[in-house]
């Protein structure tokens, strides 16, 4: 099970006990917000995009969407999300539990969108459709072993 793989991965940081597991699904931003009793924006969604025969992960706040022009400018390719059947194979986690921890070697880059920085803490999934962990943006960057911060999402209207 993917959450066990994530728990093992997070042991290197001594935070494996911070993983939260729910009796209900947290597979979508909306469901995760309900399970965590928080606003959807604080759910750190991990999106998997094609890059040649591999993929990259972009983690953003739950209330923003990818800006195709910014994405193309940043990564030099069109934003094309993985097909559902490719997700487990390339990332190593099922849809609804995709996260930046304990990923397969076909993940050639992990990037965190600036939309995350407006929160004190956020909640990324932990490899299953009923798990999450509360982290600061800097902890997310460190523990995911992210490559860099990026600005690839549409700005939120004030």
């Amino acid at each position: 099970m993917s959450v066990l793989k994530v728990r093992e991965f997070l042991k290197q940081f001594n935070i494996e006990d911070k993983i939260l597991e729910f009796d209900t699904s947290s597979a979508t931003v909306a469901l995760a917000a309900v399970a965590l009793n928080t606003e959807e924006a604080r759910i750190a969604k991990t999106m998997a995009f094609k890059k040649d025969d591999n993929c990259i992960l972009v983690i953003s706040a739950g209330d923003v969407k990818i800006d195709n022009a910014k994405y193309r400018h940043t990564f030099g390719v069109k934003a094309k999300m993985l097909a559902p059947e490719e997700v487990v194979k390339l990332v190593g986690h099922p849809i609804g539990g995709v996260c930046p921890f304990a990923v397969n070697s076909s993940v050639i880059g992990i990037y965190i969108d600036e939309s995350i920085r407006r929160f004190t803490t956020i909640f990324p999934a932990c490899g299953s459709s009923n798990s999450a962990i509360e982290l600061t943006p800097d902890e997310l960057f460190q523990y995911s072993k992210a490559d860099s911060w990026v600005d690839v999402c549409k700005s939120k209207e004030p």
Side-chain angles (χ1 to χ4, degrees), residues 3-14:
V3 71
L4 297 176
K5 190 166 86 168
V6 170
R7 189 176 304 281
E8 188 62 33
F9 176 84
L10 293 177
K11 277 185 182 181
Q12 67 187 299
F13 306 108
N14 296 316

Side-chain angles (χ1 to χ4, degrees), residues 75-138:
F75 298 113
V77 295
K78 182 179 178 181
K80 183 176 190 236
M81 292 190 76
L82 295 182
E85 62 275 7
E86 296 174 300
V87 174
V88 171
K89 177 183 168 204
L90 292 177
V91 180
H93 303 300
I95 291 176
V98 175
C99 67
F101 315 114
V103 296
N104 291 344
S105 61
S106 53
V107 174
I108 57 171
I110 298 174
Y111 303 92
I112 304 177
D113 187 75
E114 292 288 339
S115 60
I116 294 285
R117 288 194 199 238
R118 64 191 153 119
F119 301 104
T120 305
T121 62
I122 39 60
F123 297 93
C126 285
S128 69
S129 62
N130 67 328
S131 65
I133 190 168
E134 185 173 16
L135 300 172
T136 67
D138 289 337

Side-chain angles (χ1 to χ4, degrees), residues 29-44:
V29 168
L31 290 172
V34 170
L36 288 156
N37 194 30
T38 192
E39 61 185 300
E40 291 184 13
R42 288 187 58 214
I43 304 305

